[in-house]
Amino acid sequence: MRRQVPLVITFIVGAVLIIAAFIPHHPFGRLGENFSLYFDIIAVFAFLLGGGNLVRIHGGKFMRGIRSSIQEAKKGGGFWPLKFLVEFPFFAFGGLEDKRGRDWFFSLITLLGFFAMLYAGLFKVGNPDGWQGNVTNPEALFQEFYQSMFNPLQATMYALLAFFVASASYRAFRAKSPEATILLATAFVILLGRTPAGTYATDWLPQSLSFFHIPNLANWIMAVPNLAGQRAIMIGISLGVIAMSLRVILGVERTYLGADEK
Amino acid sequence: MWMDSPNWVTFGTWVAALLTLGIMSFLYKDNKVYKFCEAVFIGISAGYWFVSYFWQTLLPRLGDPLVAGAKSFFSGSPIWGSLVLFIPLGLGVMMLLRLIPKTGWLSRWPLAFVVGYTAGLRLITFLQSNAMTQLQNSVQPVVRYDAAGGFLAWESFNILLVTVGTFAGLFYFFFSKEHKGAFGRVARLGTWFLMITFGAAFGYTVMGRMSLLIGRLDFLLADWLKVIG
Amino acid sequence: MAEPRPSFLTRMMRIDRRVIFVFIGVALIFPLFFSISQRIQVSPEVAMLTAAFEKVPDGALVLYSLDYDPPSAPELQPMAVTAFKLGLKKKFRMVIIGLWPQGPQQADQALQSALRDEQFKDLKLTYGLDYVNLGFQSGNEAVIQKMGSDIPTTFPRDYAGTPVAELPIMKGIKNLGNFDFMVNISAGYPGTREWVQFGVDRFGLKMISGSTAVQTTEVSPYVGRQLLGLMGGMRGAAEFEQLSGFPGRAMKFMVGQSVAHVIVILFIIIGNVAYFATRGRKE
Amino acid sequence: MSRRISRIIVFSLIFGGIACCVHSGAALAQSPDAAVRPPQNVRAIDTRGDEGGSITVMWDLSPDDYDGTAEAVTVIGYEIMRAESPGGPFASVGFASAGATRFADASTHDGTDYYYQVTASTSSGGPVSPVIGPVRSSPQWFNVNRANVFIIGIILSMSIIFYIASARRGKKLFIRRIAGLEAVQEAIGRATEMGRPILYIPGIQDMDDVQTVAGVTILGYVARTIAEYDTKIEVPTSRSIVMSTARETIKAAYIAAGRPDAYSDDAVHYVTDEQFGYVAAVDGIMVRDKPATCFYMGAFFAESLIMAETGNSIGAIQIAGTAMPAQLPFFVAACDYTLIGEELFAASAYLSNEPKQLGSLKGQDVGKSIAMLAIATGVILFTLHQVTRVQWFMDAGNWFKDLFLLN
């Protein structure tokens, strides 16, 4: 029973949604839209679990860390709060080493950041329009946090890719096998084609060989063989998704539902 | 407002710049500064998203309609439209029942709803936009003539190549056939086409990644250090 | 262990990746200090895109959906700025939305910097009449679907909170079918793909797209019937700036990018030379 | 076929419309600008395949439609006017720009009679077409515009369901080996030997992405092996629903492996919904916990390479799978094994080794065969037309191609 009901729910929701795609009549016409709204709402509730998990993990780390640090400080006698303060960097950050349990201060930072954001956002702190104001109002504290902390962190993390893409191409693009050679050669031509160097390098070729001008060659690769590969991938994916969906809807695939606890 | 004062703006820029450098330090090796930035990032971003969901989904999509529905009910002319919202509300609450061991099994209902929703929705969208559109785009003559009746060898060759490449790629994805003999050779050809696709996408991407870093460097040099214009 | 000192090429085989990092960093920082311009060859997709822009009659009703956030701004913001400049030049009636929460904010910034152009110094733009920013709505592709049937209920209020009924530009706008043209600038999901699937395929939008370089390969199959033009990455942005006659930031950033490219290419060559030179010895 | 029927309907409506509206020819005389002519042949029908509340008005372009070049006064667009009686009053319900020949008036009430006329707008008013009507909107129970999607969907689904069913009945199926999945066992074994944890990333999207569903189901089978080997698994998630689902999945795997006591909820933890915040954390986990094996199965965006490169730098075995075409190249470059697109969705069936799941893979192959057959048919028809110039091939080809047209 406990296991059957979820399977039935999945089946009904999935099957009805598929059929509804072909029925414009109320209430089927907007079923997809409505279900997507339900999903969003469930996701918000679920966030309470996720956020709770975050707080529990970091709260736990922090509590355990500070307790053990105080115990450590109390060791060997003396006025322990002073010792605690003096050796704070070692207790809280683990000093230069990376010792487990000695990094509780970072958990505290995470918690502070989390609650600061909740406070600023949920209470609309500093919003010129007060409670009625839009949470995205750039004047509010919430958006100030966003601009000065969230945004640069996000953008920099993203920007690390510039370095990683270079190191990955250095390592991966070696002509070790026919496949690797094709990968290398294509990437090489496209890379060249995106730079002026590529343009200059092949400018001397006569007009009759204009196909081999690197930018033209790059455009050709993008338009022809690349397109073929993309199409194969996309058609394959669509069949994969259809099969996956059917397996789920028909209850053939049910790992995600967990097991019975007898 | 106090936040508009030049000092505050400068402070914000400094914070942003130091966090930028902190994240970049990871490239050398993991260190305490990176760890600090990581901790800040996790905390504020989790908070940010929750606040966004709260104001932009929960209240306008669930809270407000329910309140309006309740108001209409008590004012004597009930509008039943919002009643349907008790479905997601109920499912959402069931989600939270995980926290109580005894009722934890009920949380599988919303999960079942979510997975069923995903399966149903995606089956249709991928059928339409991946399968059908790609099939439609693939259907074209592999022999082409221009208006005057002259044979367009190059165009014809390209279309033939796309068609052959698509087929070969699909051969690669066959699961129920051993990649051996003639079939294996075609499948191998398919992997070559896939490799071209990957190489092309990779090569094409390098540029975009560089530009992200340029954006950060531009911030550090122009907005923070003010050494370039 | 008295191992012989590895040869130069063997060492090149496994360079510490941090060496590559340094080269890339320097290559990108250096050109920012100079203003050098370079010749760009225009790709057919961007030419199509600019032509599609030109074909839209002056004063047309145009939808701008900016679906990205600050991390993608270096690539996409110049596109948005140029697209707005063209919109101003052609006196489009511009309706701005975002499927990403930070999209509308990016749009405001882009429009502001477009207005700073010499050409529009004397232009008086009236909010609510010449353009409107409807802000962000959550729901990804569902927002597009809803816009297909009814825009005023999808966006009951604009970004600043004004009811859309009070905005003259919104008079007569019912759904996506009312727009003559659409500009989508996107960094991923939801973005161009969803607009094509739910807007173009279902409601016949005439659309062009500006994508991050990464997304470009993914959406390029749509060019033709579903997309009237496509610009990819900073290069696409620079080509667009050049073609539309509004040179801007993208053309400047292109230089650093090109240098970094050459560095990557050189490292690939070094890696392969070292690989082939040392391969025989190991076996 | 449905197209033809609709054409008949349209034509009958046109003639009906013209017949009932000839008397209003006087409207033409209202034209303030004699040089500009109104749109021709205006007709209106209930919008097909919709949920009601919409009437589609169509017309032929005014001969003076703006063509993008003319200097003289031209039609810049069409104002669609509506009334509930033929005599008016008419009010504007929308505007279509020059070159447009249809407008869907989505503000109708089902069952009400409406009358329409279309004004050719110039900068100074414009001539009005004759009044047509009455027209009513109504909802439909089947969207004929998507009949082709329905049929193709049925064909593909049936081929998959057929093989699931036949496999369930015990028909033996051959499935080729998939290198990336063969390596799963070995990769887990390696982590066990080294005494290091396994990191599993189920993508960064929520459960409403089918790739995440695939990622979580694969996790189920991977976790079963992990439970048998008694290795530590770590699953940071970027969405709360994924966290809950992953916990259910892993718990079930441990129960199935007969080691429910070894399971702990702590294996799965939520980090943040933010893409790059999540990556920052995952990178941190990698360099500090040094997992021996990293799995990336699900939907990925730009962060794919940040994780894969960091994973590579710590020397982990990496197995990735995604259906994000833009991210595949990075996984291919930086990981040891990569499941490409369709293989991701096939993986859970493959790993499960259950006949009915494997049957669906065979069904997918049949689907691919059908797709190839369809492409080949269309290509051959069009090519024959090019070569022989026989019009029939063209018509047949176009008919065939339209089967895949999305309306």
Side-chain angles (χ1 to χ4, degrees):
Chain A
M1 167 65 188
R2 281 186 184 184
R3 194 164 167 82
Q4 290 311 314
V5 175
L7 283 175
V8 171
I9 293 178
T10 304
F11 175 77
I12 292 177
V13 171
V16 167
L17 208 49
I18 291 171
I19 297 167
F22 303 99
I23 308 179
H25 203 287
H26 181 81
F28 297 99
R30 307 228 168 166
L31 207 62
E33 247 174 67
N34 290 336
F35 278 8
S36 111
L37 169 65
Y38 297 176
F39 174 82
D40 288 346
I41 291 172
I42 294 172
V44 183
F45 278 92
F47 187 88
L48 296 177
L49 296 176
N53 181 246
L54 185 84
V55 172
R56 205 177 58 80
I57 290 177
H58 289 285
K61 253 192 190 169
F62 169 66
M63 296 305 286
R64 279 194 303 277
I66 202 163
R67 216 175 290 146
S68 74
S69 295
I70 290 174
Q71 264 164 19
E72 194 102 340
K74 277 180 178 164
K75 256 184 228 161
F79 184 55
W80 70 264
L82 184 69
K83 209 166 144 201
F84 181 79
L85 273 181
V86 170
E87 292 186 37
F88 185 76
F90 294 93
F91 287 136
F93 300 104
L96 291 172
E97 288 157 54
D98 206 25
K99 259 200 193 156
R100 274 291 142 101
R102 284 269 176 104
D103 50 1
W104 52 267
F105 195 78
F106 298 105
S107 290
L108 178 65
I109 301 273
T110 301
L111 289 177
L112 283 177
F114 182 64
F115 286 113
M117 221 54 187
L118 288 188
Y119 167 71
L122 293 181
F123 297 102
K124 296 194 173 171
V125 180
N127 199 313
D129 303 323
W131 274 106
Q132 299 305 314
N134 194 321
V135 69
T136 55
N137 189 318
E139 306 255 306
L141 187 62
F142 184 65
Q143 285 300 318
E144 285 292 332
F145 280 161
Y146 177 82
Q147 284 297 340
S148 59
M149 293 197 282
F150 187 117
N151 185 356
L153 285 166
Q154 188 190 33
T156 312
M157 204 63 214
Y158 199 175
L160 292 188
L161 271 172
F163 298 104
F164 288 140
V165 88
S167 63
S169 48
Y170 167 72
R171 212 185 51 248
F173 294 152
R174 303 241 168 108
K176 289 179 184 162
S177 65
E179 279 79 11
T181 312
I182 292 173
L183 186 75
L184 156 73
T186 324
F188 198 79
V189 171
I190 300 285
L191 269 171
L192 263 182
R194 314 293 302 174
T195 62
T199 317
Y200 301 134
T202 47
D203 254 5
W204 52 272
L205 282 171
Q207 199 52 42
S208 56
L209 290 175
S210 65
F211 172 74
F212 294 101
H213 282 193
I214 296 260
N216 294 341
L217 195 58
N219 283 339
W220 178 80
I221 290 175
M222 292 304 284
V224 180
N226 168 55
L227 183 65
Q230 289 278 354
R231 277 202 181 139
I233 293 174
M234 280 164 103
I235 295 174
I237 287 173
S238 66
L239 285 159
V241 171
I242 293 171
M244 175 94 214
S245 299
L246 286 172
R247 287 202 302 269
V248 165
I249 291 170
L250 298 175
V252 173
E253 173 63 75
R254 47 176 84 171
T255 34
Y256 66 94
L257 276 181
D260 277 322
E261 292 144 274
K262 278 154 252 166
Chain B
M1 243 188 109
W2 55 278
M3 273 180 262
D4 294 329
S5 73
N7 285 338
W8 177 257
V9 171
T10 312
F11 178 71
T13 309
W14 271 84
V15 170
L18 294 178
L19 291 174
T20 302
L21 293 173
I23 291 285
M24 283 190 177
S25 70
F26 181 74
L27 290 170
Y28 180 66
K29 65 189 278 234
D30 184 35
N31 61 74
K32 305 284 167 187
V33 183
Y34 173 75
K35 224 172 159 179
F36 177 85
C37 294
E38 177 198 322
V40 173
F41 199 1
I42 295 171
I44 62 169
S45 63
Y48 174 86
W49 281 106
F50 181 65
V51 170
S52 298
Y53 292 145
F54 181 81
W55 289 113
Q56 288 171 344
T57 304
L58 196 65
L59 277 197
R61 300 298 180 91
L62 183 71
D64 292 349
L66 280 181
V67 170
K71 269 188 190 154
S72 75
F73 180 77
F74 289 112
S75 67
S77 55
I79 304 165
W80 301 110
S82 59
L83 265 187
V84 76
L85 287 174
F86 277 100
I87 301 174
L89 179 66
L91 289 171
V93 171
M94 278 182 186
M95 201 70 203
L96 298 181
L97 292 179
R98 299 182 70 78
L99 297 171
I100 309 164
K102 243 188 164 168
T103 53
W105 58 277
L106 266 174
S107 75
R108 285 185 199 157
W109 292 23
L111 293 184
F113 171 86
V114 163
V115 174
Y117 158 73
T118 308
L121 179 77
R122 301 299 162 184
L123 189 149
I124 294 289
T125 45
F126 276 86
L127 171 65
Q128 289 189 144
S129 290
N130 271 33
M132 291 186 51
T133 311
Q134 290 308 322
L135 287 181
Q136 216 221 356
N137 290 340
S138 308
V139 173
Q140 46 185 335
V142 290
V143 177
R144 285 260 164 117
Y145 296 92
D146 60 20
F151 179 55
L152 296 169
W154 180 238
E155 279 75 6
S156 305
F157 170 74
N158 281 343
I159 298 172
L160 184 67
L161 196 62
V162 172
T163 312
V164 169
T166 309
F167 275 49
L170 284 172
F171 267 70
Y172 166 76
F173 286 117
F174 267 79
F175 299 111
S176 60
K177 225 158 156 55
E178 188 85 80
H179 285 180
K180 268 188 194 155
F183 189 93
R185 276 195 290 279
V186 180
R188 182 104 198 253
L189 181 66
T191 59
W192 292 357
F193 272 95
L194 294 181
M195 286 303 149
I196 293 179
T197 304
F198 296 153
F202 196 117
Y204 206 92
T205 310
V206 172
M207 189 181 76
R209 300 318 188 209
M210 295 304 162
S211 67
L212 295 168
L213 187 53
I214 291 176
R216 287 327 288 162
L217 295 173
D218 191 47
F219 163 76
L220 287 178
L221 297 174
D223 298 350
W224 179 48
L225 296 177
K226 298 191 168 54
V227 290
I228 59 170
Chain C
M1 273 207 290
E3 248 183 81
R5 192 179 139 79
S7 75
F8 174 71
L9 284 171
T10 318
R11 274 182 290 145
M12 289 309 282
M13 271 286 284
R14 22 191 141 83
I15 292 177
D16 189 327
R17 53 189 203 146
R18 286 175 284 201
V19 175
I20 303 173
F21 294 169
V22 170
F23 273 91
I24 294 292
V26 171
L28 289 178
I29 291 175
F30 214 59
L32 287 179
F33 288 93
F34 306 98
S35 59
I36 328 157
S37 68
Q38 63 175 99
R39 190 176 61 151
I40 315 170
Q41 206 182 35
V42 177
S43 64
E45 286 86 358
V46 181
M48 268 175 74
L49 181 141
T50 319
F53 246 107
E54 293 301 332
K55 256 174 70 186
V56 183
D58 285 9
L61 186 65
V62 179
L63 178 67
Y64 284 77
S65 182
L66 273 64
D67 309 324
Y68 60 95
D69 51 6
S72 318
E75 273 183 281
L76 300 179
Q77 196 74 355
M79 294 180 186
V81 173
T82 316
F84 279 126
K85 283 179 182 169
L86 272 181
L88 294 172
K89 184 177 143 203
K90 293 178 68 79
K91 306 205 166 16
F92 287 163
R93 293 180 290 145
M94 300 184 282
V95 176
I96 301 161
I97 64 157
L99 297 181
W100 288 38
Q102 294 99 21
Q105 210 168 317
Q106 295 294 333
D108 270 350
Q109 287 170 12
L111 190 57
Q112 287 315 315
S113 62
L115 279 167
R116 278 196 292 274
D117 194 283
E118 279 297 296
Q119 234 175 303
F120 307 118
K121 244 190 0 222
D122 306 319
L123 191 75
K124 269 265 163 281
L125 207 60
T126 317
Y127 183 83
L129 188 68
D130 300 316
Y131 77 104
V132 65
N133 190 341
L134 295 182
F136 159 78
Q137 278 294 337
S138 65
N140 302 333
E141 60 267 31
V143 177
I144 308 176
Q145 276 174 302
K146 265 187 96 178
M147 289 179 77
S149 47
D150 198 338
I151 290 175
T153 57
T154 320
F155 290 90
R157 285 162 185 278
D158 74 354
Y159 195 38
T162 316
V164 291
E166 293 171 17
L167 299 160
I169 188 176
M170 296 302 291
K171 289 254 152 62
I173 298 184
K174 276 275 176 299
N175 54 36
L176 287 178
N178 294 123
F179 290 102
D180 302 307
F181 192 60
M182 158 156 189
V183 178
N184 174 235
I185 298 179
S186 113
Y189 172 82
T192 301
R193 194 154 62 137
E194 285 66 38
W195 277 107
V196 168
Q197 290 178 355
F198 295 95
V200 175
D201 287 351
R202 295 205 187 159
F203 303 104
L205 274 174
K206 293 196 187 75
M207 183 173 121
I208 58 117
S209 161
S211 282
T212 52
V214 197
Q215 289 292 317
T216 309
T217 37
E218 204 168 318
V219 294
S220 67
Y222 297 129
V223 177
R225 202 175 63 80
Q226 290 152 301
L227 277 182
L228 300 181
L230 174 68
M231 49 185 159
M234 196 166 283
R235 188 190 165 112
E239 290 172 18
F240 185 41
E241 283 179 356
Q242 183 175 295
L243 268 186
S244 62
F246 290 106
R249 238 175 155 71
M251 290 175 77
K252 183 184 168 186
F253 288 163
M254 267 294 287
V255 179
Q257 219 173 43
S258 301
V259 179
H261 258 78
V262 173
I263 303 263
V264 172
I265 291 168
L266 288 179
F267 270 108
I268 294 178
I269 295 174
I270 292 171
N272 277 284
V273 168
Y275 171 72
F276 278 106
T278 55
R279 193 172 56 161
R281 259 176 269 167
K282 260 199 261 169
E283 280 160 19
Chain D
M1 212 203 39
S2 65
R3 190 157 287 202
R4 186 151 302 155
I5 296 174
S6 73
R7 248 172 235 156
I8 295 168
I9 298 173
V10 172
F11 276 114
S12 52
L13 274 166
I14 297 161
F15 288 120
I18 291 172
C20 82
C21 303
V22 269
H23 67 276
S24 62
L28 276 170
Q30 290 170 355
S31 165
D33 199 329
V36 175
R37 284 157 286 177
Q40 317 283 306
N41 194 13
V42 177
R43 61 263 187 212
I45 54 165
D46 173 28
T47 305
R48 290 191 309 153
D50 70 349
E51 54 170 344
S54 168
I55 290 173
T56 302
V57 182
M58 292 167 285
W59 58 88
D60 294 348
L61 293 180
S62 157
D64 305 301
D65 192 72
Y66 177 81
D67 61 357
T69 54
E71 295 282 323
V73 183
T74 53
V75 175
I76 55 166
Y78 300 93
E79 184 102 55
I80 290 81
M81 316 288 285
R82 188 182 73 191
E84 295 188 13
S85 73
F90 281 87
S92 170
V93 287
F95 185 84
S97 58
T101 56
R102 56 162 58 218
F103 176 83
D105 170 15
S107 58
T108 61
H109 290 288
D110 293 345
T112 310
D113 282 336
Y114 289 107
Y115 298 83
Y116 286 92
Q117 57 180 190
V118 180
T119 310
S121 299
T122 65
S123 40
S124 55
V128 183
S129 75
V131 175
I132 53 154
V135 202
R136 289 177 173 197
S137 63
S138 63
Q140 279 82 45
W141 280 103
F142 183 70
N143 189 345
V144 279
N145 295 324
R146 294 166 98 180
N148 55 347
V149 182
F150 185 73
I151 292 164
I152 292 167
I154 293 269
I155 293 173
L156 292 180
S157 302
M158 280 306 149
S159 58
I160 291 164
I161 293 172
F162 174 80
Y163 280 98
I164 293 178
S166 81
R168 185 179 269 165
R169 282 195 306 271
K171 193 165 182 304
K172 265 263 165 268
L173 292 166
F174 170 81
I175 298 294
R176 76 168 160 97
R177 58 186 291 275
I178 300 174
L181 295 173
E182 292 294 320
V184 166
Q185 201 94 9
E186 175 205 327
I188 297 172
R190 180 172 179 261
T192 316
E193 275 168 33
M194 297 172 78
R196 293 215 208 132
I198 288 166
L199 186 68
Y200 192 102
I201 312 290
I204 61 150
Q205 287 294 91
D206 214 330
M207 284 305 283
D208 64 340
D209 191 310
V210 67
Q211 298 178 61
T212 316
V213 176
V216 171
T217 52
I218 298 169
L219 171 63
Y221 299 105
V222 170
R224 197 170 295 182
T225 315
I226 290 174
E228 282 159 10
Y229 279 66
D230 197 16
T231 312
K232 198 175 159 240
I233 183 171
E234 198 165 348
V235 187
T237 73
S238 110
R239 307 284 165 153
S240 305
I241 301 184
V242 179
M243 177 187 84
S244 299
T245 321
R247 281 183 176 168
E248 287 286 344
T249 310
I250 297 182
K251 195 172 175 187
Y254 273 75
I255 292 171
R259 315 199 57 244
D261 46 305
Y263 170 77
S264 149
D265 266 355
D266 293 341
V268 186
H269 62 97
Y270 168 81
V271 181
T272 167
D273 273 45
E274 165 56 33
Q275 176 185 13
F276 291 105
Y278 177 71
V279 177
V282 169
D283 269 11
I285 293 171
M286 282 182 180
V287 293
R288 285 162 217 147
D289 294 357
K290 301 227 165 19
T293 304
C294 302
F295 289 96
Y296 313 96
M297 299 282 176
F300 291 90
F301 290 91
E303 72 290 342
S304 63
L305 188 65
I306 304 184
M307 296 195 291
E309 271 295 285
T310 310
N312 184 284
S313 76
I314 57 161
I317 283 198
Q318 305 198 88
I319 304 180
T322 186
M324 287 292 186
Q327 301 310 324
L328 280 167
F330 304 112
F331 280 143
V332 168
C335 294
D336 299 281
Y337 301 95
T338 307
L339 303 176
I340 300 166
E342 193 178 357
E343 292 176 326
L344 171 74
F345 301 108
S348 64
Y350 183 90
L351 289 172
S352 77
N353 218 11
E354 290 170 26
K356 49 190 180 176
Q357 295 238 33
L358 295 176
S360 79
L361 297 187
K362 174 82 184 169
Q364 267 165 265
D365 285 357
V366 174
K368 279 184 289 258
S369 310
I370 294 173
M372 283 196 269
L373 199 68
I375 296 177
T377 311
V379 165
I380 290 170
L381 283 173
F382 278 116
T383 305
L384 280 176
H385 168 254
Q386 286 283 317
V387 175
T388 64
R389 294 279 142 196
V390 175
Q391 187 58 32
W392 183 88
F393 289 120
M394 183 72 164
D395 297 338
N398 278 328
W399 175 84
F400 188 76
K401 191 172 182 170
D402 279 354
L403 287 181
F404 306 104
L405 185 71
L406 296 176
N407 292 305

